[in-house]
Amino acid sequence: MTTTGDESPSEPGARAGWRALGRGLGIEVRAGEGPPAALLFLSFFLLASFQYAAKSIRQATFVDALGADRLPWVYLLAALLSYPLLRVYGRLTDRFPHRRLLAATWALVAVVMVAFWWLFAGGQPWVAIAFYLFLSIAFVLMVSQFWVEAGQALDPRQAKRLFGLIGAGGLLGGVAGGQAARLASAFTGTRHALLAAAAMVAAAALVQLALSRASPPAAAPAAGGGRIESSRDGLDLVRRSRHLRLIAVLMLLGVTVGQIIDLQFSWAVEQATTELDQRTRYFGNLYSAIGLAAFVFQILFTSRIQRALGMGATMRVLPATMFTGSAALLVAGVALPAAVPPVALALKVGENGLRHSLEQATRELLFLPVPARIRMKAKAFIDVFVQRFAKGVAAVLLLPVTFGLLSPIEVGWGVLALTLVWLATTLPVQREYLRSFRAGLAQRRVEATLPIRISDSTTLELLVQSLGSPDPRQVLNSLEVLAAHGRGNLVMPLLLHHDDGLVRRRTLEILADSGRRDAAPLVERRLSDPEPENRALAIRVLAKLSGREAVELMKPRLRDTDPGVRAAAVAFLLSHAGGPVRRAAARVFAELHGDADPAVRIEAARALGGIPEPEFRAELMRLLYDPDPGVAREAIRAVRFRTATGVPVYLPTLVSILRNRRLKHHAREALVACGEAALPALLHFMTDPAEHIWVRRALPKAIAAIGTSQVPEALLRSLAATEDAFLRRKLIEALRSSPPAWSEPQLALMAEQARLEIRAYLTALRDLAALGVGKRARLEGPRIRWADEDSDPSLLEQLLIEILADHLRNVFGLLALRGSAEQLWAAYRSLQSGRKPARSHALEYLDNALDPSWRKDVFLAIDDLGLEEKLELARSSYGIERRSAVAVLAHLLAPAELANERTHDLAAAAVYTVYCDRIQELYPLVDRLAEEAESPFVRETAAWAAARIAPPSGAGRGDRRRRRASADV
């Protein structure tokens, strides 16, 4: 092998080795990401170094000046001051760019550190208190600022890969900061160590300035105070979710225990040391040990413990450790006082080391089932407010130490009690995690790309169990999570027999990526998969697993006994081969296409789904009209696969198939697959009066499923152009899938259509009143209630009542398009319930909720008014004049009114009413319908009635026709 002058043969292997090591640690740095990642790593390293150096000085100066038993007061003050100061900071972020505010804040902290260096020279106790409070709030602001800056310097996908590396810089910074405080106090004194800490934060600010010049923001800065506002929103989310409430309780207990242990350790340091510099060195060594322990534990043990113990046991490691350490401290305080400092040191190192490694990783896993859209707000609330509230709780619990009622050792009994509660809380947390995780998988809420290593055995067990779920959504999401985290080896090849085609397809892809040669026999069976995409994928996967060329692999299968395998081979070879091989495949396809067995023709149709346009278009058109429904169904599916980019030649055929109830669903899916290109033709067919009515009624759903921006407007215009009530209902239902942001003209058009529906409702109500319904029933809001069981409505009355219900439903459908759909439909159900209290509540809600421009018209239909009063309002508002029963029947029997199925049904029912009530003045209309009605149903009904009604005197041709009809009957 040859190499260039500046490249050695070992370099590629070395780079590969570094990349493999990085991936093993969850780190992946890609081309161009090195400089910003390095600057962020260095910045966080310096920030953490400053934080832990300053923390060492803070603890030492406070304990030296006031004693550890006074710590609860500053705990409480820090908790109380944090929120208002964070609110002030949130307002500043509204006014200034984030990067300028960050640089100014960090520079100000460096200046204040120098100021405290000067103040500590006076030896006043209040300086230690002020210093403690200043750093407690500054740490929160600075860390928050850093992670916001990191989120702006990196896009979301980079952040998911690089945040682990950046976080490691913070852990190492903790080691360096503690040692910096120790060394500075040893050589120059604790007071001068403040200057070293100021230099660290100043250096971090300079690194941030370099980052701002080298890396423009990858995302727009968050709105001012975003984390604070997110936290406020998160309160409602946490209150409504049991899973989040339990996470918050875990955080509350953990932080409270940590604060108590912090006081115990500070007291132990106070007892074991005698002067300030000695205490600073002690705290510096402590924080170095904590950072080193956390780093080592994170790298070597966290993932192994999660894999070995699972989520439930992992959550119990920290509280169990705290319980054991606190018990040991109590024993040492009674029996071995000299052992108190080393035991307290071990307890503090264990608490902080586990908290920043195992416990942090476990808490991130607990957030895994939380939907992405609310995860950030919930975490913000728990991280910002629950932590500070917990520190306030700890301060209150520790006040007896300040007042001398308990010693710092004796408060360990409270730690034991809290850790027992903590341990008990992990049980419902584990159960809720499992429940939420399963629900999240079923609803595809668990993100496959979360920057969390799925190494916890409980999570892995849940994912593998979910592969056997009957819900394909849950199986697919489990597959995605496993594949995204390199666990494709856990995917069972038996999933290739799953009922869902997407599950089979994703399983094939994962098996191919994992190199699962053991799955080759099962993959081969997918050559007869009902979906062309899966068959084509199975061929490629089989070729990859067997190491052979796909064409050579498929040639022998042209004569396979299984027609499905032959069809898969035909589809692949016609698409990828040429010459004699392609001609042989074409001959086999002709045999499949012309076979007398429908099962074989089904395979031919499936093969066509894998052949690109325009090959064998004529054969596909013939199969669309195949007499066997199964063949036609597969041909439609083939069209769907072939028309993903829109091929208009199939549109008329697919539209005509919509009238076939057995094939309608499949034809609609194929039309939707044509996409936006099919929209003008579909709108034409839907609004064409010459088109079959059931075709027109099936099209709104297909048009809505296309989902382009012009669909809502087109559906609204179509609604205004049609009078068919059923089609109007379908159009309104289709509009529900449109976005709620309507323009003013569109809202005006909706209001106009709602008034048309109300007018039609009131007209039908007027006709019912003319037929005498008011004597046998009463009106309860929009609902007619019959007086007794003997007052059954006639056939015509039943049809008119159905018309009332349909128009009212359309009115509410239009109302729901404006928003608050759930509440509006609840009100609609209450109006129809027949219960007066429910109807009264619904009317009150609608009276306050409806837009004034809609309220008056809607209440004409739904208000609790009597029939006569409502008809009078219909006359004054809409000009709907009262009619007699004969006039209503004459209108329904007029041939000009017979425009659709509904008017046909009404005409037939009116004929029957004329026959039953012997309304002689309408007999001529019945005779006319018997001769001229276009609808066979109306014509036959009229002929039946005409043969039975008594003829008027002087009847001529109609009399003879009736006698002939009677004889025929």
Side-chain angles (χ1 to χ4, degrees), residues 28 103 186 283 305 310 390 447 451 456 498 520 589 758 767 788 848 925 967:
E28 183 182 358
F283 280 110
I305 290 175
E447 292 183 65
D456 168 57
H498 199 279
F589 174 73
I758 293 167
D767 293 345
D788 52 59
N848 291 279
L925 287 178

Side-chain angles (χ1 to χ4, degrees), residues 410-461:
E410 292 171 336
V411 82
W413 291 106
V415 174
L416 295 182
L418 288 172
T419 51
L420 288 175
V421 176
W422 187 355
L423 286 166
T425 305
T426 61
L427 296 174
V429 171
Q430 181 182 7
R431 289 194 297 268
E432 190 64 23
Y433 169 78
L434 297 176
R435 189 200 65 77
S436 298
F437 197 95
R438 290 193 183 98
L441 287 173
Q443 300 172 25
R444 293 190 68 83
R445 293 191 320 223
V446 178
E447 292 183 65
T449 55
L450 276 177
I452 300 174
R453 298 179 65 187
I454 307 298
S455 55
D456 168 57
S457 61
T458 304
T459 305
L460 283 176
E461 182 181 352

Side-chain angles (χ1 to χ4, degrees), residues 41 67 130 238-239 365 384 539-540 563 769 801 809 831 928 959:
F41 178 93
V238 172
R239 187 170 58 244
L365 279 175
V384 173
I539 293 169
R540 295 194 296 271
I801 290 171
R809 183 178 181 85
L831 290 173
R928 184 178 177 184
D959 181 55

